[in-house]
Each structure stands twice: as C-alpha cells, then as structure tokens.
Amino acid sequence: MRKLIVIILGILLTPLVSQAQFGKFLKDKAKSLASEKITLNNAKSLVKERLEKAKEEYDSTSFNYAISLSDNAGLFEVRERQERQKKLLLNYLEYSDNNNELDPLQKARLLVDNGEMLYANNKFKAAKRAFELAKIAFESESAQSDPYYAKTVANLGLLAHTVGRYTKSEEWTLQGMSLREEVLGKQSHGYAASINNYALLLKDLGQYNESERLMKESIDLHRKYIGEKSMGYAVSLNNKAMLFQSLGRYEEAIPLMKQSIKIVGDQSKSKNVNYQRLMTNLALLYHEMGKYEEAEAIYLKALSIKEKRGQKKHPDYAHTLNNLASLYMDMEKYDKVESMLKQAIEIYEAKFGENHPSLATTVSHLGNFYRFQEDYEKALPLLKKSLAIRKTTLSEYHPEYIQSKEDLAILAWKSREYDRAATLYKEVLTQTLEFVDTYFPPMSEAEKTRYWEILHPRFERFYSFVNDGYKEIPSLLKDMYGYQLFTKGILLSTSNRIKQQILTSDDESLKSLYFTWVDQKESLARYYSYSNEELKDEDINLDSMVQAANSTEKQLSSKSSEFNDNLRQVNITYKEVMKKLSAQQAAIEIVRHRVFEQNFTDQVSYSALVLTNNPDNPIELVKLTNGKQLETRYFKYYNNAIHQKVKDEYSYDQYWAKISESLKGIRQISISADGIFHQINLNTLQSSDGQFNLNRYDINLVGNTKSLTTVPVSKSITYNASLIGFPSYGGNGDIPELPGTEVEIDNIYGLLRQRKLTASRFKGEEASEANIKKMENPSILHIATHGFFLEDAQFRKQKLFGIQTENAQKNPLLRSGLMLANAGEASSNMSISNDDNGILTAYEAMNLTLANTDLVVLSACETGLGDVKTGEGVYGLQRAFIVAGAKAVVMSLWKVDDQATQALMTAFYREWVINKDKHKSFKIAQEKLMEKYPDPYYWGAFILING
C-alpha cells in the first residue's frame, strides 16, 4: 500500500520532469524499493524533496509576478502545469495530515502553496480563503518573520489586484513589499516581484510617473541580482512596455516587448501561455501603430491555441476576443464585433462577477459599438454600467473612468442632448487638464509629445461637438476658447517654463545638470551627421546617446517638478484676453481639428474663434469646413500665384472672407495660427476690391492669444545686436554667394552705430556656426544667409547638408537649418566631425543661449518652413529659436529675392532704431517695400511672430 502511494505521488509529479526522465525515475525508485526496502518515511522525504525543488523552480519562474495585459486591467497569473501540481499538493497535505506529521507552520505553508495553485486555476474565491487561513495560522504562531508569511500577504495583494479591488490590493502589496524587504532583503526574488507588482498596480491606478520609476527599479533589481534571462526580468520588461503603450510611447515599447518575448521564447515553446500573452501585448502595440494585419494574425493564433486546449472560458480568451473586436472596428469588419464582445463579457462575468475593470472595458467597447451603429438605446445602459464599474474599482480620477464619462458625453451629443453632453464634457476636459498638470512635469519633451498625442483627440472631439451645438448652447464658445488658451503650444510652453525655472533657480547642481544635457545634445547634433559605417568605426552607439540625453532631461524635469506650483499652467480665460482689447481690436484663435461623426473621419475643419470686447457677444465662431481643400488644392493655388507673380483671385475668399465678416470696425488683430494658416501670409490675401490685408489690418502673429495678458517687465534695456551674414561657403562652389547679404549686414551695422547702439558683425569666415554658438543673449540676432528645408522627396540621398537623411526623417528639427561659413564642405556630403561644420540645424539652434534676446531675424530662404503639428505650430527654425529663448522671430515662407530682402531689412532697422517697436517697424518696412515691389512675392515672404 505504501509503495502504491509513493508511485501515485510520483505520477502526479510527472509535469515537473520529462517523460523519459520520469520513466527512469520510476525504474530507479522501483529498484531502490526492491533492493534497499526504502521505508515509507524515506520515500515520502524523497517526494517532498522533489516537491520543494519544483516549488523553488515555480517561484523563480514568476508565480508571484503580476503580468500586465494590454487592456490595462487584465491580470492573470501564468502557469501551465498548475492543475497536476495542485493535486500533488492536496494529496501530500491530506496524507501527511492524516498521519499527524505536519506542524502548524508546515500546514500554513502548504495552504499558501495550495492557494497559489487555486489562483493559477482562476479559482479566486477558493484561493483567497486559502491565503486568509494561512495568514491566520502564521499569526497565531507569531511567525510573521517567516518568509511564507510575507509571501501570503503579497499573494493577497496580487489576488485583490486581479479581481479589481485596487484599494485593498495597494494595502496588501505595500505590506508584503515591506515584509519581504525586512525578511528577504532587496536582492531577493520576492522583493523584486513586489516592486514589479506595485509598479503595475500604480499603472492601473493611472499613477504613471511613479509607476515608471518603480518599473525601472524592478528591471534594475532583476538585471543586477536575478539575471537578464529570468522570467521575472521578462515580465518586468513587458510591464514597462505596456506602461509606454498607455502613454503613447510605442517606439519605446516595441523593443522592450520584443526583448521580453525573446527571453520567454528561449525558455519555452511558442505555445507556452506566457509566450502567447506577451505576443498578445505585441499585437496591441501593432494595432495602435496601424499595423492591423500583423496584429490580427497574432490574435487569431492565440485564440486558436486556446480553443485547441479547451480554454474558451478562460479570461485570457476573453481578453483576446476583446482586443480583436477592437481591432475589427478599426478594420471596418463590423459583422464580427458584436458576437466577440458578448462572448468576452459572458466569460468575464462568470469568472469575476459584475464588478471588474476588464469587464468594464469590454462593456464599454460594446456600448460604443452600438453608439457607432446609432443604436443609442442599447448603448446607454452599457456605457453607464462601464462608468459604474470603473467608479467602484478604480476612482473618479482614473483615466479610464474619465474615458467612460466622455463616452457618455458623445452619446448624449449624438442623441442631441446638448446640455447633458456639455456638462459631461466640462467635467471630462477639466480632469484631462489635471492629468497634464500631474503627469507632464517629470516627463521629457519627447514623452510629453507622445502622451499629448493620446489626450489631444479628446479636445478635437469636443471641438466637433461645439461646431454642432454652439447655437443651442452659446457658452460652449467660451469653453472652447478657454481650452485653446490652455492647450495651444502646450508642449512648447511647459518645456520653456521648466527651462526658465532651472536657469533662474539658486540650485547650482540643477544648473550643472542642465548644461550637461546641453552638451549631450550638442554631441548628438554632431553624430547625426555620421553615417552608420562612420558610427561603427568610431564605436558610437547613437541609440544609447539618445537614451542618455533623454534620461538627463527626465532628471531635469523631475527636479524642476519640485517647483510644481510654478510649473502648472495658469488658468487664463477669454475674459482676461478680452480686457486687453479696445473697440478696434480683436483676438483670433485658429483651431484645426479632424471632423468627428461616430468616429474620426478623413475630413478636416478649421474654426476661427473671433474675440472682441463686445460684452453681449464676445466670441463668434467662423467655420471653414473645407479644411482638407485648404491644405491641398487651395494652398497649391496660393503658392503658385505667389511664385508666378500673378493676381490671386481665390485665396482671400477661401481663407479670409468669412472671418472678415466678424471684423466690422476692427483694425488691429492678434492671431494665433494653426495648421495651414502657418504656411500662408495673411497680409498677402487680396480682396476683390484689390486691397491687401496688409493695408486693411494691423495683423500681429502670436503663438497663443493668452500672451496678450502678459504684462511686459519694465526694465532698462541696453540694446546690442549680433549681425551675421555673407558667409564664405567654401567647398566646390555649389552654394551660390549672396552679395545682397553683405550689403544688408553693412547697412544695418551702420544704422545701429549711428544711433550709438552696440553692434557686432561677422562676415566671411567669421560668419560661422561656432561664433553663433558662442553668443549669449544679444538683444538682436540677425542672420543673413541661405536657409533650407528638406522635403520628403530629398530623402532618397543618404546625406544632405551633412545630415544623415534617416535621422532627419525621424526628427523634424534636423530637416531645416542655416548655411554658414564652410557649409560647402557639408553640402558635398563629406564626413563631418566637429561642432562647426557650417550647418546650423534647428536641433542645434534650440541649445543657443537667447533667454534675453528680444528678436531673432532669419534673413534667409524658407526659414519659416517645417513640420506643422496641430496645436503646436511649426517644428523647424521658428520653434528652435523660441525654445532657445527668443521673444520674437522674423522668418520667410518661401525662397526670397536677394535685393528685395536687403531692402526690407534695411527699412525695418531704420524704423526700429527710431521707435523701438519691432511690430510697427516691420509693418512699415513691408508697406515701403510694397511701393517698390508691388507683388507680394517680394514684400510678403517674411512674417514676424511673437513667441
């Protein structure tokens, strides 16, 4: 009988070893039993030893690791052999208990083991009872220092997270982490697992900044103490990838995800559950990056494997169904969506009950599907249910709860319940702006950019709603104007405020870190000109350098966030702007947004919000609904008319006529442009009576009309100018000289010196990149030379102007620049290996010291061009010099005439030295140039924009 029991226990153990090993094991044991007459106790000890070894392997391969699934709520432990191991434990526990061979602590430990097996089988209630009984047993024996006690508490936290009890999970997880640190130390699997689990919990709670910090700590612990081939390390990498997915940082997420998959794939078969879950996460990333076919193939394979294993009731199966249904919505395979979501809901309800975040996600998807189908009666209860679940399991401040509120706002809008929609949207957008204030401070600009790309579509949907509903609720226009004041140029303004905070602080270590970061970017700017072969020859890892610079920037942002009150956005409303307007003044916010119907369409609309000081009707909305045509067909016509010097008979009607109807009696206009309006000069638009806007209005271009509320700091200014022009380009003569730039520089120098103003001029070899980089805060920086902007068609070449085109494609600030002394060497594609290669890119210009510079004049071709980003302006030289600190920039929108430019700039400075008003002087200079050159090609190439 005793021999039979041992054999049965051995059979139950078979999943832990290979079949061949197990056969040998049985033969060896049979021989041993026959020849040595092993006693029952010896045999049982042998099984126990094998069991302990199995458990050790079990723990080290991550039983206690929370694994993030791509719906941001799913959390299911990963084991494939749990059922047989559970039976093994139950048999061992029953046999030993019947023979009174276990002391209370041994029983408690086996209860924990059994609870883990139950948990791995998704039997959550039974697992919870086992953990709670074990906890009571340890405490009754005063054994809180037993490692298994810490494990029990940590397991309760993991289980609470899995079933959506986040508040209780945080309590248990923190307690378990503290116990593990005390009992096991920071170099242990257990402590590393707890750090991972808490980081993931914070992610699911929407506390992204702290989550990222802890995920880094978890990865570092695994790398240092546990190993880069461990399952825990793979899980930690996966979780960080999923955090980046939540923040829209897909390019950072993909390599982490692939590394995690490789680790698991090297240790197991491709049908391994761990492997399949990680592949499912990769599919989500592909989905959000628009790689639909790749994502679909992964999802279908995962479903097929589950089906063959008879696991169609498993939460993983529901999770994959939910993701695939979401993908099919984007692929327009609508006939497959409803049944998949209903099946997933049925699985979640059976497994988790009616109150779980994963259920909320799928219910939300089904509700939005019905709303998309315009079946609003079916959509409403589902969207309400999702909101209620998220309120209970998450919080009223969680991003997913806010998303549920927006879902209901959209449903109310489409049901023509405008008041209800407006109330909900106000709550949603107020909280969204809180997310910005909360999450932005510690992020680098690249990370802010990715996260803002997640949030910004919410404002676009709201703007579509306002376009539909403002006649029913006129106050919506005030809200829309206010949100524009907050969000227009938000990435630029937050970065500039952090920079200002650093440079004006008394923290010398912070300033030192800032200059370290500037040095890192300078090095990057140089290495961007290297080819892959040159980088390899010099043993330079460009990706590592980018990561290092990004890490330093995050440190700067994080340290600066200690001044968080100063870094928060000031809540300026339309009222503050309106107070600055006289009866003849107006402020206009141009808003570009995609048109949202039941989903975003391929149509673009422009909304011009015209603000005057009329208390009865302060804001008028002018809708230009043909945005796509404005950006393509009509812009092409405008551009051709300018360059061919023919009368433009259409552009005024398309871009300005409707707006002008709201400007009766208005003479002075401050305009914050967006989209295509960055690429046209509004002064060049000519009405049917032959009059140009330059003659009709005084147009002032600003980055954001809230700048009108800024009170200028009154201080005595000692004007000094740095004038750079007529460089000696060198090379093979491919770059033509611009003799007009020498006349321009000399004339301006003479005018300034006549007025006893300090001025320095740099020509020929002295008109160099190195000399510009040495300059610190000149009042005026004037650069007269060739400019360039790389078009997409030019990227066929490997290198242009000394810049690797592959790098330029990735970074828009490498696509534009200025040619200075010795630029001919760079233009002939020679290897560049210093900081003075004759090409000043926009990326490099960002690092200039111009915090006290009143004006930068870029007297060169196409210096106003760049990548236009909705709500953020032009990524090019314009943005670079404003980031560097310049208060205003003069730049060109097209290739300029050398003589006309020289005349314009001379006239501008002649006026400026008299009245010290750059805007007034620039307008007078344009009007004078118009007298000599009537065609706008000559006088309209340059614009002045105030940052």
Side-chain angles (χ1 to χ4, degrees):
M1 178 66 180
R2 291 184 177 182
K3 290 182 181 179
L4 180 60
I5 291 173
V6 172
I7 292 172
I8 289 172
L9 290 173
I11 292 172
L12 291 173
L13 196 59
T14 54
L16 305 181
V17 293
S18 71
Q19 290 299 323
Q21 288 174 324
F22 178 64
K24 185 175 185 300
F25 171 76
L26 277 183
K27 291 176 182 178
D28 290 345
K29 291 311 120 191
K31 289 178 180 178
S32 296
L33 286 170
S35 61
E36 300 177 23
K37 299 182 179 179
I38 294 178
T39 65
L40 172 62
N41 287 336
N42 286 339
K44 194 155 73 70
S45 295
L46 191 62
V47 174
K48 182 179 180 182
E49 180 183 342
R50 181 61 60 89
L51 177 60
E52 290 300 324
K53 183 178 180 181
K55 283 302 299 171
E56 182 182 348
E57 176 193 355
Y58 195 69
D59 289 341
S60 69
T61 55
S62 84
F63 178 84
N64 291 314
Y65 286 85
I67 296 181
S68 176
L69 295 181
S70 50
D71 63 358
N72 301 322
L75 183 68
F76 313 113
E77 190 40 62
V78 177
R79 295 303 298 166
E80 293 181 284
R81 302 185 296 266
Q82 62 269 29
E83 184 62 38
R84 291 181 179 179
Q85 292 186 15
K86 182 189 73 171
K87 291 179 180 178
L88 170 65
L89 284 167
L90 289 173
N91 276 275
Y92 185 80
L93 178 60
E94 180 181 0
Y95 182 87
S96 300
D97 199 28
N98 289 340
N99 288 274
N100 298 314
E101 295 178 9
L102 297 177
D103 62 36
L105 291 182
Q106 289 175 315
K107 290 181 180 179
R109 293 181 193 119
L110 285 170
L111 274 172
V112 175
D113 292 339
N114 189 37
E116 290 180 350
M117 298 304 177
L118 291 166
Y119 171 51
N121 268 297
N122 300 303
K123 300 183 184 302
F124 303 122
K125 290 182 179 179
K128 182 171 180 285
R129 285 197 298 271
F131 292 147
E132 288 173 340
L133 287 171
K135 184 173 181 291
I136 292 169
F138 281 118
E139 290 170 350
S140 65
E141 295 294 320
S142 300
Q144 286 91 333
S145 61
D146 190 302
Y148 255 73
Y149 178 75
K151 188 178 191 182
T152 305
V153 174
N155 285 350
L156 283 167
L158 189 62
L159 182 59
H161 188 172
T162 301
V163 298
R165 298 180 62 205
Y166 286 5
T167 302
K168 198 65 181 175
S169 175
E170 185 166 21
E171 177 187 333
W172 290 129
T173 301
L174 285 172
Q175 185 181 343
M177 184 164 61
S178 177
L179 286 167
R180 281 172 159 170
E181 181 179 7
E182 180 181 343
V183 174
L184 303 172
K186 288 190 174 183
Q187 299 182 18
S188 64
H189 278 285
Y191 181 75
S194 284
I195 289 289
N196 169 80
N197 295 356
Y198 189 45
L200 186 56
L201 177 63
L202 291 176
K203 167 190 168 288
D204 288 346
L205 287 169
Q207 298 178 35
Y208 299 135
N209 296 330
E210 183 63 10
S211 174
E212 183 174 356
R213 186 188 69 79
L214 286 175
M215 284 182 180
K216 182 181 184 303
E217 183 178 345
S218 172
I219 289 170
D220 290 344
L221 283 170
H222 283 91
R223 182 185 294 114
K224 188 173 182 180
Y225 300 121
I226 301 169
E228 296 186 6
K229 293 184 178 180
S230 67
M231 188 68 73
Y233 186 70
V235 170
S236 296
L237 291 174
N238 164 78
N239 292 350
K240 190 172 185 179
M242 289 297 96
L243 171 66
F244 286 167
Q245 174 264 325
S246 299
L247 297 171
R249 290 155 60 180
Y250 308 126
E251 296 301 329
E252 294 175 79
I254 287 289
L256 290 172
M257 196 68 254
K258 289 185 175 179
Q259 186 181 356
S260 176
I261 289 169
K262 185 178 186 307
I263 293 169
V264 177
D266 286 346
Q267 297 181 20
S268 61
K269 298 177 181 178
S270 63
K271 293 184 179 180
N272 173 277
V273 177
N274 275 351
Y275 187 86
Q276 285 302 314
R277 286 173 177 163
L278 297 180
M279 286 298 295
T280 301
N281 286 351
L282 180 63
L284 180 85
L285 289 170
Y286 283 154
H287 177 184
E288 297 196 5
M289 295 173 73
K291 298 180 178 181
Y292 295 160
E293 287 73 19
E294 292 95 322
E296 182 184 24
I298 293 173
Y299 287 144
L300 291 174
K301 183 176 180 180
L303 289 176
S304 175
I305 291 172
K306 285 290 182 187
E307 288 165 0
K308 289 177 181 177
R309 292 178 176 177
Q311 295 177 322
K312 293 180 69 173
K313 300 297 182 182
H314 195 282
D316 277 6
Y317 191 79
H319 166 71
T320 307
L321 284 173
N322 176 63
N323 283 356
L324 184 56
S326 178
L327 175 66
Y328 281 156
M329 280 294 294
D330 288 338
M331 295 178 75
E332 300 183 0
K333 297 182 178 181
Y334 304 127
D335 59 311
K336 301 175 181 291
V337 173
E338 183 179 14
S339 60
M340 285 184 169
L341 292 175
K342 285 183 173 181
Q343 188 178 356
I345 288 171
E346 183 181 338
I347 295 169
Y348 282 139
E349 287 179 339
K351 192 59 64 176
F352 299 127
E354 293 285 335
N355 214 28
H356 190 275
S358 291
L359 176 63
T361 299
T362 310
V363 167
S364 171
H365 286 170
L366 184 59
N368 281 316
F369 171 74
Y370 287 140
R371 190 260 303 156
F372 181 82
Q373 299 288 337
E374 299 185 14
D375 192 341
Y376 302 146
E377 289 186 8
K378 284 185 178 179
L380 182 60
L382 290 167
L383 295 180
K384 283 184 173 180
K385 180 178 179 178
S386 178
L387 181 78
I389 295 172
R390 284 170 169 169
K391 182 177 181 179
T392 301
T393 59
L394 303 173
S395 78
E396 294 184 39
Y397 306 103
H398 192 281
E400 289 182 11
Y401 177 78
I402 301 305
Q403 183 58 62
S404 278
K405 267 198 172 181
E406 192 196 359
D407 291 341
L408 284 167
I410 295 171
L411 180 62
W413 161 25
K414 296 305 176 182
S415 301
R416 306 190 69 78
E417 298 175 16
Y418 292 118
D419 287 329
R420 173 67 175 155
T423 299
L424 285 168
Y425 250 126
K426 191 164 188 176
E427 295 171 2
V428 166
L429 295 179
T430 297
Q431 187 57 48
T432 302
L433 297 183
E434 281 294 316
F435 292 156
V436 172
D437 276 340
T438 300
Y439 301 136
F440 262 34
M443 291 182 177
S444 69
E445 182 171 4
E447 292 165 356
K448 290 185 182 82
T449 301
R450 299 284 81 78
Y451 185 52
W452 183 239
E453 287 173 355
I454 295 288
L455 296 181
H456 185 254
R458 177 169 290 161
F459 290 89
E460 290 188 275
R461 288 187 286 269
F462 174 71
Y463 298 153
S464 277
F465 164 57
V466 174
N467 272 253
D468 275 0
Y470 77 98
K471 290 184 178 179
E472 298 284 335
I473 310 175
S475 64
L476 285 174
L477 296 180
K478 299 173 182 177
D479 294 333
M480 183 174 176
Y481 200 104
Y483 293 130
Q484 271 300 104
L485 293 179
F486 191 103
T487 62
K488 185 73 108 16
I490 191 171
L491 301 173
L492 178 61
S493 64
T494 52
S495 295
N496 279 357
R497 282 183 293 127
I498 288 174
K499 178 180 177 181
Q500 183 181 16
Q501 192 74 41
I502 292 170
L503 295 179
T504 57
S505 76
D506 296 326
D507 189 336
E508 294 303 321
S509 65
L510 186 61
K511 289 181 181 178
S512 176
L513 186 64
Y514 172 77
F515 290 116
T516 297
W517 177 56
V518 171
D519 287 342
Q520 288 173 326
K521 292 199 295 177
E522 279 289 320
S523 296
L524 276 173
R526 181 167 71 253
Y527 293 133
Y528 278 137
S529 67
Y530 280 41
S531 67
N532 290 334
E533 292 75 15
E534 290 167 333
L535 289 170
K536 186 176 181 180
D537 289 343
E538 296 291 333
D539 195 24
I540 296 167
N541 187 323
L542 196 59
D543 289 340
S544 295
M545 293 186 67
V546 171
Q547 290 173 14
N550 193 59
S551 176
T552 305
E553 186 181 1
K554 283 174 65 67
Q555 290 180 59
L556 285 168
S557 297
S558 182
K559 288 178 180 293
S560 301
S561 66
E562 295 171 8
F563 312 107
N564 201 43
D565 288 340
N566 294 328
L567 295 175
R568 288 183 179 274
Q569 289 273 53
V570 178
N571 186 23
I572 294 174
T573 69
Y574 79 95
K575 292 181 181 179
E576 283 75 36
V577 179
M578 188 174 72
K579 289 176 184 177
K580 300 296 181 179
L581 302 176
S582 69
Q584 290 187 322
Q585 293 178 319
I588 300 177
E589 281 287 345
I590 304 289
V591 185
R592 180 193 188 275
H593 54 94
R594 292 173 294 169
V595 175
F596 185 89
E597 292 176 356
Q598 293 295 352
N599 208 339
F600 280 118
T601 70
D602 61 353
Q603 296 303 306
V604 173
S605 184
Y606 281 85
S607 299
L609 296 169
V610 182
L611 175 68
T612 63
N613 72 350
N614 180 355
D616 298 324
N617 186 30
I619 303 174
E620 288 189 37
L621 172 64
V622 179
K623 296 194 290 186
L624 304 178
T625 58
N626 62 336
K628 205 166 185 181
Q629 288 72 36
L630 293 177
E631 295 174 353
T632 53
R633 172 185 171 190
Y634 292 118
F635 176 68
K636 184 177 180 180
Y637 175 84
Y638 169 82
N639 211 27
N640 287 339
I642 287 288
H643 286 85
Q644 294 172 17
K645 305 179 187 64
V646 299
K647 184 174 181 179
D648 185 341
E649 298 180 346
Y650 298 101
S651 296
Y652 182 90
D653 289 339
Q654 295 301 325
Y655 293 102
W656 192 255
K658 289 184 179 179
I659 296 174
S660 69
E661 294 173 7
S662 300
L663 298 173
K664 301 294 191 296
I666 298 298
R667 171 64 183 165
Q668 294 180 323
I669 309 169
S670 294
I671 298 180
S672 173
D674 201 1
I676 195 62
F677 283 82
H678 283 294
Q679 297 180 275
I680 62 174
N681 185 344
L682 294 173
N683 279 322
T684 64
L685 300 180
Q686 186 178 22
S687 61
S688 58
D689 62 5
Q691 192 173 24
F692 288 101
N693 276 352
L694 178 69
N695 308 121
R696 180 179 282 111
Y697 304 107
D698 182 7
I699 295 177
N700 177 33
L701 297 177
V702 296
N704 186 316
T705 56
K706 72 179 177 184
S707 64
L708 302 180
T709 67
T710 304
V711 179
V713 179
S714 59
K715 61 180 180 179
S716 177
I717 300 176
T718 303
Y719 281 98
N720 62 88
S722 293
L723 313 173
I724 300 170
F726 194 57
S728 298
Y729 298 119
N732 300 321
D734 294 335
I735 303 176
E737 290 188 348
L738 295 172
T741 61
E742 183 175 27
V743 176
E744 180 180 324
I745 292 296
D746 289 343
N747 285 347
I748 296 169
Y749 181 79
L751 286 168
L752 296 176
R753 296 300 295 156
Q754 286 175 13
R755 304 295 296 188
K756 310 294 185 187
L757 298 175
T758 302
S760 303
R761 62 182 161 180
F762 302 84
K763 300 189 298 182
E765 290 292 334
E766 291 187 333
S768 65
E769 182 183 0
N771 278 335
I772 290 181
K773 290 178 177 178
K774 290 176 187 175
M775 294 174 184
E776 293 190 9
N777 299 309
S779 302
I780 294 174
L781 174 59
H782 185 105
I783 306 174
T785 183
H786 284 292
F788 67 86
F789 173 71
L790 299 180
E791 301 284 355
D792 290 341
Q794 295 175 278
F795 289 143
R796 288 190 295 269
K797 295 183 179 180
Q798 185 184 30
K799 187 182 288 190
L800 283 168
F801 305 121
I803 303 161
Q804 287 297 311
T805 52
E806 180 183 355
N807 294 325
Q809 283 180 300
K810 296 176 183 177
N811 188 338
L813 295 175
L814 292 170
R815 299 177 69 168
S816 56
L818 298 167
M819 299 183 192
L820 298 160
N822 299 314
E825 302 296 329
S827 68
S828 60
N829 289 330
M830 293 180 66
S831 177
I832 307 302
S833 59
N834 59 68
D835 297 328
D836 184 19
N837 56 42
I839 301 293
L840 180 73
T841 64
Y843 183 86
E844 292 172 290
M846 285 195 304
N847 300 327
L848 298 177
T849 305
L850 305 176
N852 296 318
T853 298
D854 192 48
L855 176 66
V856 170
V857 178
L858 303 177
S859 183
C861 297
E862 300 179 327
T863 50
L865 300 186
D867 279 6
V868 180
K869 296 186 182 294
T870 300
E872 277 298 312
V874 181
Y875 277 70
L877 286 166
Q878 168 192 333
R879 186 182 188 86
F881 280 97
I882 290 174
V883 168
K887 307 299 184 295
V889 180
V890 171
M891 55 200 171
S892 62
L893 295 177
W894 51 79
K895 293 184 184 299
V896 295
D897 179 83
D898 193 21
Q899 295 298 318
T901 300
Q902 177 258 312
L904 174 70
M905 295 303 171
T906 302
F908 166 65
Y909 282 98
R910 185 175 288 115
E911 293 295 327
W912 179 82
V913 296
I914 297 172
N915 59 46
K916 297 296 190 295
D917 184 328
K918 55 182 174 286
H919 174 72
K920 180 179 179 181
S921 299
F922 189 72
K923 179 175 173 61
I924 291 173
Q926 284 186 310
E927 289 172 334
K928 287 186 176 181
L929 190 63
M930 179 190 280
E931 295 174 5
K932 185 176 181 181
Y933 298 101
D935 198 283
Y937 169 79
Y938 298 98
W939 58 260
F942 286 91
I943 58 173
L944 186 155
I945 184 167
N946 294 284

